[in-house]
Amino acid sequence: MAKDRLSEVLERYEAVIGLEIHTELTSLKSKMFCGCPVEFGGEPNTRVCPVCLGLPGALPVPNEAAVEATVLAGLAVNCDIALWSQFHRKQYFYPDMPKDYQISQYDLPFCSGGHLDVEVDGDAVFQRVDRDSEEEYTARIGITRIHLEEDTGKMIHVGGAEGRISGAEKSLVDFNRAGTPLMELVSEPDIRTPEEARRFAQKLRLIMLTLGVSDCSMEEGSMRVDGNISIRLRGEIELGTKSEIKNMNSFKALHDALAYEIVRQADLMDVGERVVQETRHWDVGAKRTSMLRSKEEAHDYRYFPEPDMVPFAFTEEWVESIAQRVPELPDAKRERFMGTWDLPKYDAVVLTSDLAMAGFFEAAVAQTGPARAKSVANTMINDFSAHLNAEGIGVDESPVKPSMLAELVVLVDDGTISGKQAKEVFSAMVKTGEAPAVIVEARNMRQVSDTSAIEAVVDAIIAANPDEVASYRGGKIGLVGWFVGQVMREMRGQGNPKVVNEVLRRKLG
Amino acid sequence: MIDLSVLSATEIRDGIAGKRFSAREVADAAFARVEALEPSIHAFNQLTPELAEAAADRVDAMVAAGDELPPLAGVPAAIKDNMNLVGTRTTCSSKILASYESVYDCTAVRRLLDAGALPVGKCNLDEFAFGSSTENSAFGVTHNPWDTDRVPGGSSGGSAAAVAAGMATVSLGSDTGGSIRQPGALTGTVAMKPTYGRVSRYGCVAFASSLDQIGPFAHNVRDAALVLNAIAGKDEMDATSVTETVPDFTATLNDGVKGLRVGIVRDMLELEGLDPGIKASVEAAAARYAALGAEVGDVDIPAARHGLSAYYIIGPAEASSNLARFDGIRYGYRVDDATDVLDLYMRSRAEGFGPESIRRIMLGTYALSAGYYDAYYGQAQKARTLIIEDFAKAFESYDVLLTPTSPEVAFKIGEKSTDPLAMYLSDVFTIPLNLAGLPGVSMPCGLSEGLPIGLQVIGRHFDEATMLRAAAALEADLALDMTPSMARGGLDG
Amino acid sequence: MAISESDVRHVALLARLALTDGQVSSLQTELNSILGHIDELQGLDLADVQPTAHALEVTNSMRPDVVKPCLSRELALRNAPEAEGGAFVIPAMAGAGEDV
Ligand SMILES: [Zn+2]
């Protein structure tokens, strides 16, 4: 999607976007209504029981930890917690749904009326053409509700193209995933740009990770984002016809699919055609959405209170006890990083945008002391991030541990090695997993800062190169670099460059 | 040979403990009676002699080892065929589950067997418990041992007939609108629906989840109490089962009714269409209570008149949902030539379910469908509130309440099978209890033209003990012999 | 509230029941007869009455987050009309229903 085209469309149309985000509570031990373990993958139908297979006579019993996790999530995104709530049955036939109804929540969800503040900066600010400033801004996105439900099983379509339904001869059904606790968050249609949608989803993911309720893997489907999107002419109050977009399996896909859809709807409206209410599928390969089903197949879910379970009555005290368990959230952590260690906002944002990065940073700084926090941040944002990207690994998978990075920062800071040497040590660390001090020792890289030792070398070089000395003194002061090189070569690179420079300039006059 | 038609559960257990006979001999006697009587009754969908013999052998091993026997040791028990038991098929008397093999145990059945009972077999029922005559079975009708031209009631007709004929000493049924108590009345057995939540529903194929409750059939109140002792109590597999303490329900059976406040539900007794013989019999029972020292008075439950309407919304609505899972995907009947999944669903279900199941699924689906929820389901739930409130008010003045169990005695096979609405009226006295979650026991209180009449004694929530005490007092006072003639005597009965 | 023939067909689709024309017609009659009785509830003024979903006032019935043994796959598939490679087999999905 060309930015220009989107930009042009957004000049004339305003997008109205709401997100539905499903998050599996993967950190729980057992499923939503039975004791089967919550895990990903595995041989088909090996993690099932009478309850999650929907066998005749089996009954659901709600997992207390799932209820608590949902309330925890609700509190983390500023929701009100219902003191009276219950499950409903949402009824429709589908082969991956064992009971042919899904136990979900309807008019009495656990959480409602929350919001998240999303900060948008950089290039993405342009998408908000209604703002006359190019400064970063904060958008407050309302959260309608968060409710709890059960996930479905999975189907593999055999005989068709690439596991898609169309053309398949038959399908295989695996219920391992059926009954996995699933939290559904529904946002208000407060989102105006694809970038706001992406940042909202990213922020929500970070919060869920911080709460420790889910691994939020978009690849494995433990976090799934669907979007409702319509556009209207700027200045128009009435909402346009919306389409629902599914299969946005990454944050990039979320952004690109919404951007595509805005342009697609605008193209229709520009030629006077109607946007049809339908569900569309994002094809990441073709970079376009296509119709999955039209709204004509209207749903009639026949919701009614789940009679196999009793209602939930929470007290204020209980809700407060869950609120006590909300850990430091990303915004607060970012502020703390800026306040405690005087980090620039950029550094704080980068370090707190990933739980493991933030944890790594704090562990390293604990070792170096707060005065070296900026040096730790620099090393992490530059060398460490580059290394992670190059290897395509996560923080925890790196051979570089916080203590090692801290040690490296201290070695540079106290002048034991030069910044250039530090890069070499870092590379060695990545390869060998050895501590910096060990590497410095083994490679004899200890930097010489002793003035008298350097003076001796400088004297020898000056004595050995009278012509160059004369040229320098005659005005070719650029030769100082050549002298530094000679000294460093003599010292096998271990001379402290700062001291070498200073001694040379003094001795050369 | 042991005469099972005269032995109570306690007598059987004590007889085995005292080595007067073995559990294996009891099992043999039960199956001998089955062999003699089952052809004319058809109480069972499946007989389980291997399971019964294995259970009997375990009891006999305990006797040999000198172990204390559990309370129902060696007691032949029949199980309604909507309750799962590993080693049996659980068919719900439906074509759709005709070959369904249980892969786990129903909690109540497990508890009954853990108390030492011998599983004789799985009993016929109206398909998925939809009915009041056991005629709606895919596997044929069950006959009433009092008159084999007549129905045993339903839906737990097989469980009722098995006990009435002495093929089992006790049995388990399930009761959603009267499916234990009404066949109890029509077969002259003691038949109890406990308080909702008292007994786990886990493993009993759900009809209407907010109404269903498992309970016992027995020849006498004490045996029913013994079964309740065995099956009651919180089950972590059923979120609607309650933690309420479970007393020994036999402990107070002999305490009499002196001072007990007994309320006759007068407006129910004045119901049009109530068999006059039944009405007279209930009045007579009330008079006996007064004679036994109870304080007897009249009370009305006006909202109960809406019970039938509310029930025929709530029951089918929940049933339509509970029966969705019978879709031919993971188990059950599947057409073998489906062109796609929708075709598979549509025809497997239409061919697998019988007419009454289809009727109720349709009714319930309609009542929950867009635009009708408030008018039907919502309104029924509110009527349910009124019924609960009326009973609560009545229980401010009375400790137990009396009604007839059924407006009529056992009717002829085929007599009502073409008129669903007439059939539905069979449960007019029993349904309000399910809606209110109250316990009720049907006990024989006389005969009308040679057929048993059932009296329904209603207790407060979780006060089955008082309800059973009242029933036991009347049972002792009336001292009726409720053995149908075909079931009298030993083997040659 | 009388139920029409098209209502019956619509409800039958919702309930996934392939009814014959004869069944549609007799069900229309029967359902209307039953609804005719049930409709007495429409006449009640229950505006101020709270609905009851559960007869007993029990709340918060939950279980701890503890793993229990699963069924063996053999038992899980015991009653499967068709199974392959440990999975349940179903025909093509075209027109499966309302959701994807
Ligand atoms: Zn399970």
Side-chain angles (χ1 to χ4, degrees), chain A residues 128-147:
Chain A
R128 275 296 286 266
V129 297
D130 55 325
R131 294 176 50 83
D132 43 18
S133 153
E134 284 175 20
E135 309 253 301
E136 64 175 63
Y137 67 94
T138 300
R140 172 159 291 192
I141 312 299
I143 291 168
T144 316
R145 56 188 279 153
I146 305 178
H147 71 247

Side-chain angles (χ1 to χ4, degrees), chain A residues 68-126:
Chain A
E68 290 175 3
T70 304
V71 170
L72 187 73
L75 291 167
V77 296
N78 312 295
C79 284
D80 296 325
I81 306 304
L83 297 182
W84 183 261
S85 48
Q86 68 184 110
F87 282 107
H88 272 66
R89 290 186 187 176
K90 178 183 184 179
Q91 308 194 69
Y92 60 95
F93 283 82
Y94 210 70
D96 64 8
M97 202 165 57
K99 301 180 295 293
D100 290 299
Y101 58 79
Q102 180 189 34
I103 302 175
S104 181
Q105 294 190 285
Y106 185 50
D107 55 353
L108 295 167
F110 290 130
C111 320
S112 59
H115 64 82
L116 266 191
D117 289 334
V118 175
E119 295 188 332
V120 183
D121 57 12
D123 287 351
V125 173
F126 87 92

Side-chain angles (χ1 to χ4, degrees), chain A residues 32-45:
Chain A
M32 187 59 237
F33 299 114
C34 65
C36 293
V38 171
E39 282 165 33
F40 179 76
E43 285 293 303
N45 298 304

Side-chain angles (χ1 to χ4, degrees), chain A residues 34 36 48-49 52:
Chain A
C34 65
C36 293
V48 294
C49 72
C52 57

Side-chain angles (χ1 to χ4, degrees), chain A residues 31 33-37 47-53 175 178-179, chain C residues 68-71:
Chain A
K31 288 185 181 178
F33 299 114
C34 65
C36 293
R47 289 196 311 278
V48 294
C49 72
V51 178
C52 57
L53 265 184
F175 293 99
Chain C
K68 296 245 193 105
C70 300
L71 280 178

Side-chain angles (χ1 to χ4, degrees), chain B residues 99-101 103 195-196 210 234 236-237 239 242 305-306 308-310 312-313 328-332 334 340-342 344-347 349-350 353 358-359 361-363 365-366 369 372 375-376 379-386 388 421 424 435-437 461-462, chain C residues 1-3 7-8 11-19 23 27 30-31 33-35 37-47 49-56 58 61 63 68 71 75-76 78-82 88-97:
Chain B
S99 57
Y100 181 80
E101 292 176 37
V103 297
T195 309
Y196 183 80
S210 77
K234 175 71 183 172
E236 59 177 14
M237 300 304 286
V242 297
R305 81 187 70 229
H306 306 302
L308 207 59
S309 302
Y312 276 95
I313 295 167
I329 304 285
R330 287 145 294 124
Y331 48 78
R334 178 195 282 199
D340 60 27
V341 171
L342 181 62
L344 185 154
Y345 285 150
M346 301 279 294
R347 287 194 295 125
R349 286 167 59 79
F353 289 125
I358 287 177
R359 201 173 288 131
I361 291 169
M362 290 290 292
L363 184 56
T365 304
Y366 177 70
S369 64
Y372 298 103
Y376 287 118
Q379 197 78 347
Q381 282 193 316
K382 289 177 172 184
R384 190 172 182 180
T385 305
L386 297 184
I388 291 170
L421 210 51
Y424 294 174
L435 291 170
H461 288 137
F462 302 111
Chain C
M1 271 185 254
I3 182 166
D7 288 340
V8 173
V11 171
L13 178 62
L14 281 179
R16 296 292 182 269
L17 292 165
L19 302 181
Q23 280 176 303
L27 275 165
E30 289 160 3
L31 294 182
S33 151
I34 297 164
L35 290 169
H37 184 88
I38 288 171
D39 277 347
E40 59 108 358
L41 285 184
Q42 314 302 327
L44 298 180
D45 179 11
L46 301 176
V49 179
Q50 283 298 310
T52 296
H54 297 89
L56 292 150
V58 180
S61 182
R63 63 178 183 85
K68 296 245 193 105
L71 280 178
L75 285 182
R78 170 69 63 87
N79 290 286
E82 193 184 344
F88 296 90
V89 179
I90 56 169
M93 281 300 300

